[in-house]
Amino acid sequence: MQKATSVGTGMAKFQELDAKWQQAWRDVKLFEAEPDKRPKFYLTVAYPYVSGPMHVGHGRTYTVPDVIARYKRMRGFNVLFPMAYHFTGTPIVGAAKRVARREPEFVKVLTERYGVAESELSEFENPHHFAAHFARESDLSYRKGMEWLGYSIDWRREFTTVDPHYQKFITWQYRKLYDAGLIVKGKHPVKWCPRCGNPVTDHDLLEGEGVGIVEFTLLKYRAGEYILPAATLRPETVFGVTNLWLNPDVKYVSAQVGSERWIVSEQAVEKLRQQGYSVEEVSPIRIDFSWEVEVPLTHKHVSILPAKFVDPESATGVVGSVPSHAPYDHVALLELQMHPEALKPYGISPQAVAELKPISLIEAEGFGESPAIDVVNRMGIKNQTDPKLEEATAEVYRNEFAKGRMREWVSKYGGMPVSRAKLAVRDDMLADNEAATIYEFSAKPVVCRCNTPVTVKIVEDQWFLNYADEGWKEKARGCLARMDLVPPETRGQFAHTINWLHEWPCTRNIGMGTPAPWDPKWMIESLSDSTIYMAYYTIVHILKTIDPAKLTDEVFDYVFHGKGDAALISSTTDIPQETLEQMRREFEYWYPLDYRMSANELIPNHLTFHIFHHALIFPDRCPRGIVSFGIAVLEGEKMSSSKGNIIAINEAVRKYGADTVRLYLMSTVEPWQDLDWRTNEVEAMQRNLERFYSLAESIIVPPAAKRPSFAQPERWMLSRLQEHIRVATEALDAFETRKAAQHVFFQLMHDLRWYTKRARQPKARTHMLKRVLEVWLRLLAPFTPHICENLWERMGGSGFISAAPWPKVEEGLVDKGAELIESYLRRVLEDVGKILRVTKVKKPKRVCLYVAQDWKWQTYRIAMKRVGEGKVDLGALLREIGETLGLRLHKSDLSKFLQQTVKELRGMPSEELEILETIETDELQILLEAADFIREQLNVKEVRVFKADDAARYDPQDRARLAVPMRPAIFIE
RNA sequence: GCGGGGGUAGCCAAGUCAGGUCAAAGGCGCCAGAUUUAGGGUCUGGUCCCGAAGGGGUUCGCAGGUUCGAAUCCUGUCCCCCGCACCA
């Protein structure tokens, strides 16, 4: 059976077109960008981290800049769109390790899903090989995917972040930062696997993904020579301590910590060591519950009481009791007070326990004296093993932290919001050596892939980028203020991030990357080496021709800052002077970057770093704008590439063709919205494109007619075309790919269908369709370049459509009157259709249309004028019309009609009113001309049109009286 | 908690800044008709409810308010999503 589409087996055909045109572009180096006289447009998108295949999310991320690049090129810009690969970082190293361990699940994904041969596995133990494979080698790789999608990338500038040239560039940059005093040394807690001897990232975890590290303050309670360090998240509550809790079932030890003698749970010892405490000489100790301890800061003396809820695994196993504000403490105390016999084994006086009263030190709106007691009572919690206590604690903490204030009696901190007092108390106590710090996971367990429990380790010697530096922040703010942000809502996020960002650890001791120039045992961390590489793109293709050993700081200083003398640098480095000058010219031509594109989840780090580093290194060449993308999901579900449940974009391209995938990705949502890949919609898109292709062919094939005269349908079509050009242009200028694609594909298709139905003269039609197609192809070219190139060639367009000029709106062809007439006809057809449906008449014999009589039209026009002017005095208007028309007989008809008319006109938007006013419409003429068309559309034998007051009209039901201007009365037989 | 985004018909999603053309674009799905009639493709029409004449009713998370008029403005309220770092 013959297929309606002449694409034949459409899919195969599209793939052929893809390959053909990609080769053609390559052959003429169409996308290799060199500085010239044209205005430039330079855009980049975050280079991919090549830890796996390119999936549909990446497809969207990279198609947006390509569409924009193609659009700008057609607008006459010299466009630079480069691409590179990010190798730096731990996940690739982690993946290689997983291969080395032959983790079955991962190996399975690699071999069965990602097409890696078993025999090659050993090579994938090398992280560099792993990355290179997914960067360029694999059929699922980024390079292939991007080529198959027809991206207009200048591939000469491709590089990886571990290339020696790039490392020279990073070294240059980091020496600058170091010299500026923005690299500072410090320590910070990391997740650490004792067995691997390495920090671990979430990717390396078997269990505990997403678990955070929280900072506890250790309050130093003193008991003679001993110190009992009680861990708390709320140091400000020290003023409400009534006693200390220890768990009688726990093994406690006494340990020499620095110059102090600490008592902690046995489990805490290793933790303290990991966290940089020098712990020596540990011996078991029996807790004597008769001790009194001195509370730090307040110097009160309190007793030690037994409590089961105290967890030896959590922090130090020593806990201070603040019953007024900690539900656990309140319940534990209550239990002891109700069961004094439990105190006997410990030799504690029940009398003393009974006298313990909660001390309230925080007031919070919506709570009474003691929030902890309120909440415990409300939840009906009776004992300290009740799991609801967690929730109660969270509720009290949340409310007190957010809304609480320290009570006035609390010396020094009285009246302070809890959120501030917490830090103030902590800092004061730390300064006086009355407290220390310990880190703990926010949830347990956390287990490394090697099946070892992960601990918190304090890494000493860590190097930080000092984003806390106020001067730097100020520069970044200045840069931000000058930038165009898409979508604009992201501005607040950026501003907030600049304020909030502080020291960022910029070195790591594992993974691939560039050694820190001032301390080469460390590697520059992967986000930190990706902040200004957009500048590197401008010269990389030239740099590649130079021996990296020659790339001294002087070279980069010259190229990027114009510092020094080219001839001199040439003589010391042996780089030809012309080469140096050429690089300088390239940089000066392309920089600043016009738009940076990346995922909006990178605003809190990468994108803001990008601003910081530019503000410092290229203060006069800050990027002009940032576009932030949404994420992508699959059939409404999240993707996971480590589990292999992704749609590899390369496979999708092979299956549906590049243009189908591109248009789908661009037309469903705007770039900053979340994309949902739905297979059935992609398939529908493919059919749509095939339909478009065969429609285009059917337009191209018949020989062109000489320019015939245009009638209403032609005028309408041309006017609509202008509208689509206008909207698409505006949309693409604002990165609204969806809006643009909707107009240039779907809406234009709709209009063209209407036109083909409406067109009466075959010659005019052939001519018009060709004329529309010529524009249409150019409008679609950024989205579906392969198909458009092919059709462009077929219809004899000159050169590549990729290099053709973008269509311009021809104001002279905008014809609001023509548009009004068509929407009028549509309305008439709709009304008739509605009547047919309601009356369930299937095959009408005859349709009669009655156009409003002159007096109604005259009234209408006068009313229109008055309404357009603003206020309407119905009475005055009535008199005015009565006088003008000299009508007496239908006074009541007139007033009724006028009322309706005014109401209707008032509801009309002023724009439409204006058009109506200015355009001479002869309704009768319009309908007479369109009668044939209406007859065809309704599939009736006869359509008759009358004036409503035509005495000779055929009107058995006297419908004509219902006629109103722009709404003819209808009679159906 | 802090910061950001969002709730529109079966699903996705425009429309909200600049109130009226909005029963609300477009896509998907579904239904019907047409097609030298394959349950495929293509084309046409329909797709909140009622209606044998183009009409009426009820809708845009929920509750109020402003207005001749509210999906759009204001107030309150409920719910959902994302980020909060050392890492891509």
Side-chain angles (χ1 to χ4, degrees), chain A residues 482-496:
Chain A
R482 295 192 300 274
M483 289 171 79
D484 175 36
L485 299 178
V486 181
E489 298 85 72
T490 54
R491 185 170 298 278
Q493 285 186 65
F494 277 106
H496 181 255

Side-chain angles (χ1 to χ4, degrees), chain A residues 791-858:
Chain A
L791 291 167
W792 183 253
E793 182 191 50
R794 293 270 305 275
M795 77 183 299
S798 71
F800 288 102
I801 198 167
S802 301
W806 181 255
K808 278 202 174 69
V809 175
E810 294 178 60
E811 293 297 342
L813 296 177
V814 176
D815 187 339
K816 291 294 171 196
E819 296 199 32
L820 190 76
I821 290 171
E822 292 308 299
S823 47
Y824 166 76
L825 287 175
R826 258 189 235 246
R827 170 80 183 258
V828 171
L829 281 179
E830 238 170 63
D831 281 351
V832 176
K834 239 174 165 179
I835 296 166
L836 291 177
R837 218 173 316 124
V838 173
T839 55
K840 301 199 171 65
V841 175
K842 283 264 162 72
K843 297 243 174 203
K845 270 208 311 242
R846 177 187 297 132
V847 171
C848 300
L849 301 169
Y850 311 93
V851 173
Q853 49 271 57
D854 288 347
W855 72 264
K856 284 189 179 171
W857 259 105
Q858 280 164 325

Side-chain angles (χ1 to χ4, degrees), chain A residues 215-218 262 272 275 277 426 430 435-439 458:
Chain A
E215 181 190 310
F216 283 84
T217 303
L218 296 180
W262 286 18
L272 289 171
Q275 300 193 16
Y277 289 93
R426 182 197 66 184
L430 284 172
T437 300
I438 190 171
Y439 296 92
I458 302 292

Side-chain angles (χ1 to χ4, degrees), chain A residues 710-724 746-759 768-769 772 810 812-826 933:
Chain A
F710 287 166
Q712 157 66 16
E714 282 74 32
R715 286 194 293 275
W716 175 82
M717 185 66 239
L718 285 174
S719 184
R720 292 296 301 159
L721 185 61
Q722 306 316 307
E723 169 72 359
H724 293 309
F746 294 105
Q747 313 247 25
L748 194 40
M749 181 92 89
H750 267 286
D751 286 347
L752 207 71
R753 275 190 208 146
W754 174 261
Y755 168 72
T756 46
K757 285 195 292 196
R758 271 289 280 143
M768 180 55 45
L769 289 176
V772 171
E810 294 178 60
L813 296 177
V814 176
D815 187 339
K816 291 294 171 196
E819 296 199 32
L820 190 76
I821 290 171
E822 292 308 299
S823 47
Y824 166 76
L825 287 175
R826 258 189 235 246
F933 166 69

Side-chain angles (χ1 to χ4, degrees), chain A residues 214-221 227-238 241 243-246 252 262-265 268 271-272 275 277 296 309-322 326 329 434-440:
Chain A
V214 287
E215 181 190 310
F216 283 84
T217 303
L218 296 180
L219 304 186
K220 294 182 179 178
Y221 291 74
I227 283 181
L228 288 100
T232 179
L233 289 168
R234 309 187 53 190
E236 77 282 6
T237 60
V238 67
V241 167
N243 61 283
L244 205 60
W245 297 116
L246 292 178
Y252 286 93
W262 286 18
I263 294 177
V264 296
S265 73
K271 247 184 293 197
L272 289 171
Q275 300 193 16
Y277 289 93
F309 76 85
V310 175
D311 178 1
E313 296 284 349
S314 174
T316 53
V318 180
V319 179
S321 174
V322 189
D329 300 343
E434 291 197 297
T437 300
I438 190 171
Y439 296 92
E440 192 65 85

Side-chain angles (χ1 to χ4, degrees), chain A residues 371-492:
Chain A
I373 299 173
D374 292 353
V375 172
V376 163
N377 288 344
R378 173 151 48 78
M379 291 188 174
I381 297 170
K382 292 282 188 295
N383 59 64
Q384 51 187 298
T385 52
D386 191 328
K388 284 204 292 284
L389 271 169
E390 288 295 334
E391 196 188 317
T393 302
E395 182 180 337
V396 171
Y397 182 82
R398 194 172 52 235
N399 281 290
E400 292 190 344
F401 186 81
K403 310 187 270 199
R405 281 185 177 278
M406 303 299 282
R407 291 193 185 278
E408 291 302 335
W409 65 261
V410 178
S411 63
K412 187 173 174 190
Y413 310 98
M416 212 182 257
V418 169
S419 52
R420 241 183 46 229
K422 175 182 162 167
L423 300 176
V425 173
R426 182 197 66 184
D427 291 346
D428 289 348
M429 291 176 75
L430 284 172
D432 295 343
N433 189 30
E434 291 197 297
T437 300
I438 190 171
Y439 296 92
E440 192 65 85
F441 292 121
S442 62
K444 284 188 177 178
V446 180
V447 183
C448 179
R449 283 201 179 275
C450 71
N451 223 346
T452 311
V454 171
T455 61
V456 178
K457 183 179 165 76
I458 302 292
V459 177
E460 309 277 352
D461 276 7
Q462 173 66 268
W463 292 98
F464 294 84
L465 274 164
N466 192 13
Y467 294 128
D469 185 273
E470 201 38 52
W472 200 2
K473 278 186 195 291
E474 208 35 62
K475 289 192 178 95
R477 286 188 198 106
C479 183
L480 179 68
R482 295 192 300 274
M483 289 171 79
D484 175 36
L485 299 178
V486 181
E489 298 85 72
T490 54
R491 185 170 298 278

